[in-house]
Amino acid sequence: RPPDLLAAFNAFVYRQAGQADVVVGSPAAGRVDPRYLDVVGLFVSTIVIRTDASGEPTFADLITRTRKSVLSALEYMDMPFDELVNRLEPRRRLSHAPVVQVMFALHEDGPGASALLVKEPVPRDTAKLDLTFTVEDNGDRYDVEIEYCTDLFLRDSVEYFFRHWSELLEKALDDPGLPIGQLGFADDRERSLVGSWSAGAAAGGGLDAGGRAGIHELVERWIAESPGAVAVVRSEEHTSELQSHH
């Protein structure tokens, strides 16, 4: 269901960004006035969906909060997004778009879609926002397209984002009573990678009696073993592990 998909995206943003005030944009038809129903043209506008994910809600609770946020946002659907931005007067920065930096779009075609209309992909060279998830409901499956800012993310990172969202959605639907902070989103590949790190820590003697090691202990051991390894790259400057630690 659409609220489930958006709630999972909100949980994903909450987990990735580490902030409970989740603001997501979503396209709306924009044909509120019945006079425009038969008019040819693009009336799509962006609505702002602001969801509170504080208090460690369960996924079921987050669905309820998301649904209320969507209904609240739809009350202002007739307000153009540009006018909303002008009224809010947010601090403008060249590094990102105002008000919303991530978007979630759901297109529901289903079996009743017109056979006279054929979708054609339009190539784009620039991303409008930092991250946009577009989900196509084709009746028997969902197709997902992700648009992202290449100045911020690598392709590998975005592929991880998709797997994280998919895993989180699957776990949430399996157990909607679980708090969103406890929903796992690591896939088999990542769990295997983390397992290999644990195995390396065990071989190096860095685990306690319970088979655990603090992340700071693992970082300190890595610095001791590879003090000259590059830790940070900024323009032409390279900072080693040892330099970044001091």
Side-chain angles (χ1 to χ4, degrees):
R1 299 177 300 172
D4 299 352
L5 298 174
L6 179 55
F9 186 74
N10 282 335
F12 161 77
V13 174
Y14 163 72
R15 295 287 297 275
Q16 293 289 342
Q19 64 182 42
D21 187 10
V22 180
V23 180
V24 175
S26 186
R31 293 179 182 265
V32 179
D33 193 324
R35 294 176 298 174
Y36 300 144
L37 293 179
D38 296 327
V39 178
V40 176
L42 183 65
F43 288 79
V44 174
S45 184
T46 299
I47 61 173
V48 180
I49 304 171
R50 187 176 188 178
T51 305
D52 179 14
S54 64
E56 197 65 11
T58 65
F59 185 68
D61 291 336
L62 187 63
I63 291 176
T64 301
R65 295 186 188 185
T66 299
R67 184 181 292 110
K68 291 181 179 179
S69 298
V70 171
L71 293 176
S72 177
L74 289 176
E75 293 181 4
Y76 303 95
M77 187 171 61
D78 57 343
M79 176 180 288
F81 180 72
D82 291 344
E83 182 178 344
L84 174 64
V85 173
N86 291 333
R87 290 194 182 187
L88 293 176
E89 296 183 344
R91 183 178 179 181
R92 300 296 187 99
R93 296 181 179 178
L94 296 177
S95 60
H96 58 74
V99 183
V100 296
Q101 289 81 53
V102 294
M103 178 172 286
F104 184 86
L106 175 63
H107 301 308
E108 297 181 271
D109 288 344
S114 174
L116 299 178
L117 300 178
V118 178
K119 291 184 179 180
E120 290 291 343
V122 178
R124 296 183 294 271
D125 296 326
T126 58
K128 295 180 180 179
L129 299 173
D130 293 351
L131 188 67
T132 299
F133 271 48
T134 300
V135 180
E136 296 274 355
D137 182 358
N138 293 308
D140 59 343
R141 73 179 192 281
Y142 289 111
D143 294 330
V144 181
E145 177 186 277
I146 302 177
E147 180 181 280
Y148 61 96
C149 177
T150 54
D151 289 340
L152 296 176
F153 307 117
L154 299 174
R155 181 183 178 89
D156 289 346
S157 299
V158 175
E159 290 177 351
Y160 273 119
F161 289 165
F162 172 70
R163 290 198 293 271
H164 286 174
W165 175 68
S166 301
E167 288 284 333
L168 189 149
L169 176 60
E170 181 178 350
K171 298 295 190 303
L173 294 179
D174 287 342
D175 189 359
L178 200 64
I180 58 175
Q182 298 179 23
L183 292 171
F185 54 63
D187 59 15
D188 292 340
R189 183 189 310 180
E190 289 177 286
R191 283 191 287 268
S192 176
L193 178 60
V194 173
S196 68
W197 292 345
S198 298
L207 300 184
D208 61 19
R212 299 178 300 270
I215 186 65
H216 64 288
E217 296 171 320
L218 297 179
V219 171
E220 288 175 351
R221 183 183 319 134
W222 174 261
I223 293 173
E225 294 175 352
S226 308
V230 175
V232 179
V233 176
R234 181 178 182 274
S235 187
E236 299 300 322
E237 299 180 24
H238 292 67
T239 301
S240 70
E241 293 278 4
L242 188 58
Q243 290 171 323
S244 65
H245 191 57
H246 291 286

